[in-house]
Amino acid sequence: MAGARMAKRGVPEGLWIRCPQCKATVFRKEAAARFNVCPECNHHFYLPARERIKQLLDEESFEEWFADLRPKDPLQFNDRVLYSERLKAEQAKTGMPDAAVVGRGYIRGRPVVFSVTDFAFMAGSMGSVVGEKLTRAAEEATRLMLPLIIVSGSGGGARMQEGILSLMQMAKISAALARYDQAGGLYISILTNPTMGGVAASFALQGDLTLAEPGALIGFAGKRTIWNTVRLELPEGFQTSEFLLKHGFIDRIVHRKDLRTEVARIIDYCEH
Amino acid sequence: MASPNGFLPFEKDIFEMEELLSKLEGQAGATEEIRRIKKEITRLIQKVYSNLSAWDTVLVARHPNRPQTLDYINLIFDEFVELHGDRAFGDDRAIRSGFARIGEHRVMLLGHQKGHTLKERNECLYGCAHPEGYRKALNKMKMAAKFGIPVICLIDTPGAYPGIGAEERGQAQLIANNLFEMSRLATPIICVVIGEGGSGGALGIGIGDRVSMLEHSYYSVISPEGCAGILWKVATDDTKRQAADALRLTARDLFKLRVIDDIIAEPLGGAHRDARQMGNSLKAYLVRYLRDLKDVSTEELMEQRYQKFRRMGVFEQGPQES
């Protein structure tokens, strides 16, 4: 069951992976050696937060902050499954208290405040804990005057189960990022597959620079919602990184293997 | 949905009494009966409207006769000088903006317009704004800040428009820009949800020093239909109701969650029954807020606005209890 669910995301346990894009059967170790990218078609597989930290930050340099923040169930939300139960299941599945990991580390020797959301935890959606952690990360980056990196990956955006409080996290983190901006901080936003809804409409698109991995789904409204409204066939490659680049919303599309170098280079350009 | 007669499903009894009343009113010698029925109608409305479910509230908030931004402009603002266009793409009719006067104050007024007639609705897409609407709103707000004019935002949208052009032109980007800039806009901002507070489309003009709701409006992270479709897999009458309950989207819920500052009372039976009275209450609130915020220093205003949103959210911290 768990295996089947993982397969859908493209990273099953076992020796072989089937690439969801080119359908090639890929040797798992080979994909892993290539930053979890399909060797046949360059499809970027889902990457857990911990793996992201390993790939992007210097070895053993990450120091996690605010790891003791945990979600609650303020609305007693019940959609046949209690949110509190759902949280327990997600925590057991991922080993994480919620969808965000924040802290400080080094990128090729450059100190940064680093944040990442993990799609595996409730599709990387933003509730109070994600909002609070990212806000604190931005506040710490302001205090320490360090570059801030946020790697976004969220299918749904604001988390429905925390209702209006999730929506207000968008406002909260935006305000913290605006203050960081005012103070002259450098914020590099890295969009990964998928970055949608309230996450896209807040912190993910508030960077000084917006980078995206190739082929990521990025947008505001879901395709089904759009289809239901306009009843028109959606253009080829609609809401992909390449689509956003073409329309002027992304600075650069960067292959996962090059991200570390690219980020380091940008930091050097933006040094005060 | 409201019926063609404008009554909502839970208002059936009220409507029948009103029908009866209008028949009697033509007859001579029915004075006593008329008085009795009028009393009964008031009692019925009171009863129904003090027990609205979350879903009922959504229906009231969407009532076709509910006053909208343009109605309030006519009712309570002494002047409105509409300012069009986003200086980049077009003039989104789902968001209106312009100088206005209210009481002794000059303000920049922004508001979603859903439209009453079919023609108007087609023009403004039921209050669903495109990226250019959010860009227009921000342009006008920045200008207002430059001249020390406070901003009023009347929120009334099912959500930002979900379409191909909207995505191509950066719906998420433009909303993100507004949240970012409104959080530090150096002039007082007062936001009132007057009908529908639909998610990011509402929040896109919803960052302010005071954020309040009319009594029967709603404000939600997602529409009950959308939520039902995702979490209950199908949006039926039943799951929509359950989703509306679960989302805690009424003014009273948001007040309890400390997301809004005030609930502005509506006339008996909802704003659509007495737009003038609703307008008067709204005006009193706006003028009060404008007066409250007028003498706050910019520095203090910025700090208070930051802290207002900073404290939102519910979580635990510390070692896990076992």
Side-chain angles (χ1 to χ4, degrees), chain B residues 244-310:
Chain B
D245 278 332
L247 285 165
R248 308 254 189 257
L249 44 68
T250 68
R252 220 179 299 167
D253 291 325
L254 268 81
F255 188 75
K256 268 194 225 148
L257 290 164
R258 300 178 60 207
V259 170
I260 56 165
D261 297 290
D262 281 287
I263 301 172
I264 302 170
E266 295 195 14
L268 185 62
H272 59 282
R273 275 178 215 273
D274 195 341
R276 190 165 301 274
Q277 196 191 328
M278 185 71 257
N280 289 340
S281 307
L282 178 61
K283 181 175 179 178
Y285 266 87
L286 291 174
V287 168
R288 194 186 93 195
Y289 289 155
L290 286 165
R291 218 177 282 147
D292 277 357
L293 295 168
K294 201 171 64 149
D295 298 321
V296 181
S297 73
T298 303
E299 200 182 323
E300 180 67 9
L301 192 72
M302 294 299 95
E303 179 60 18
Q304 282 178 10
R305 191 183 305 159
Y306 188 81
Q307 295 305 337
K308 175 181 178 60
F309 291 95
R310 183 66 189 86

Side-chain angles (χ1 to χ4, degrees), chain A:
Chain A
M1 178 60 209
R5 205 160 51 209
M6 297 289 273
K8 216 171 149 191
R9 254 184 266 121
V11 279
E13 307 294 335
L15 281 176
W16 301 91
I17 312 174
R18 194 176 165 80
C19 174
Q21 186 168 286
C22 69
K23 312 292 180 209
T25 307
V26 180
F27 196 41
R28 184 182 166 75
K29 275 192 181 153
E30 198 188 347
R34 291 169 188 255
F35 297 84
N36 240 344
V37 173
C38 174
E40 301 292 328
C41 74
N42 258 337
H43 176 72
H44 283 48
F45 295 130
Y46 153 75
L47 198 66
R50 298 288 161 192
E51 287 298 311
R52 178 70 66 182
I53 290 165
K54 267 193 210 153
Q55 283 189 10
L56 222 48
L57 299 185
D58 299 348
E59 211 178 330
E60 303 291 312
S61 75
F62 185 65
E63 168 200 328
E64 188 175 354
W65 292 336
F66 319 122
D68 61 346
L69 293 190
R70 288 187 313 277
K72 287 180 80 169
D73 181 9
L75 309 188
Q76 315 274 299
F77 197 96
N78 185 355
D79 57 279
R80 297 169 302 169
V81 184
L82 289 170
Y83 177 46
S84 51
E85 293 300 318
R86 208 179 273 271
L87 282 171
K88 275 185 206 148
E90 294 286 314
Q91 286 163 345
K93 185 181 86 185
T94 59
M96 301 168 68
D98 207 311
V101 180
V102 309
R104 136 180 213 170
Y106 288 84
I107 294 183
R108 295 208 193 286
R110 295 152 186 83
V112 296
V113 172
F114 185 81
S115 314
V116 52
T117 62
D118 194 320
F119 183 78
F121 195 103
M122 291 194 80
S125 58
M126 175 162 62
S128 297
V129 168
V130 172
E132 181 69 18
K133 276 192 171 180
L134 293 178
T135 301
R136 288 190 190 185
E139 288 176 339
E140 283 302 292
T142 312
R143 195 173 62 82
L144 301 166
M145 253 309 115
L146 287 178
L148 171 68
I149 319 289
I150 303 181
V151 182
S152 310
S154 171
R159 187 177 297 168
M160 287 178 283
Q161 288 85 351
E162 291 185 34
I164 196 72
L165 295 172
S166 298
L167 194 74
M168 292 303 144
Q169 301 309 305
M170 294 166 64
K172 181 165 98 180
I173 173 76
S174 297
L177 288 171
R179 280 201 166 179
Y180 175 65
D181 173 63
Q182 206 94 19
L186 163 65
Y187 166 28
I188 303 172
S189 175
I190 302 173
L191 313 181
T192 71
N193 185 44
T195 299
M196 296 295 293
V199 166
S202 61
F203 65 86
L205 290 173
Q206 290 169 339
D208 295 293
L209 287 108
T210 309
L211 310 180
E213 289 192 341
L217 182 74
I218 303 159
F220 181 69
K223 282 184 182 172
R224 207 169 46 165
T225 310
I226 295 173
W227 164 251
N228 285 339
T229 308
V230 300
R231 303 269 169 195
L232 288 172
E233 198 170 326
L234 303 176
E236 177 92 10
F238 186 62
Q239 293 183 324
T240 58
S241 308
E242 294 73 18
F243 178 90
L244 267 82
L245 184 89
K246 186 178 144 221
H247 285 96
F249 295 100
I250 283 176
D251 289 290
R252 289 173 72 76
I253 294 177
V254 183
H255 192 287
R256 197 176 277 168
K257 70 174 164 51
D258 302 324
L259 261 181
R260 194 200 284 219
T261 308
E262 283 269 337
V263 170
R265 177 156 57 186
I266 290 166
I267 290 173
D268 291 347
Y269 267 103
C270 297
E271 243 173 352
H272 283 288

Side-chain angles (χ1 to χ4, degrees), chain B residues 148-161:
Chain B
I149 301 169
V151 174
I152 291 176
C153 297
L154 301 182
I155 295 164
D156 190 13
T157 178
Y161 191 79

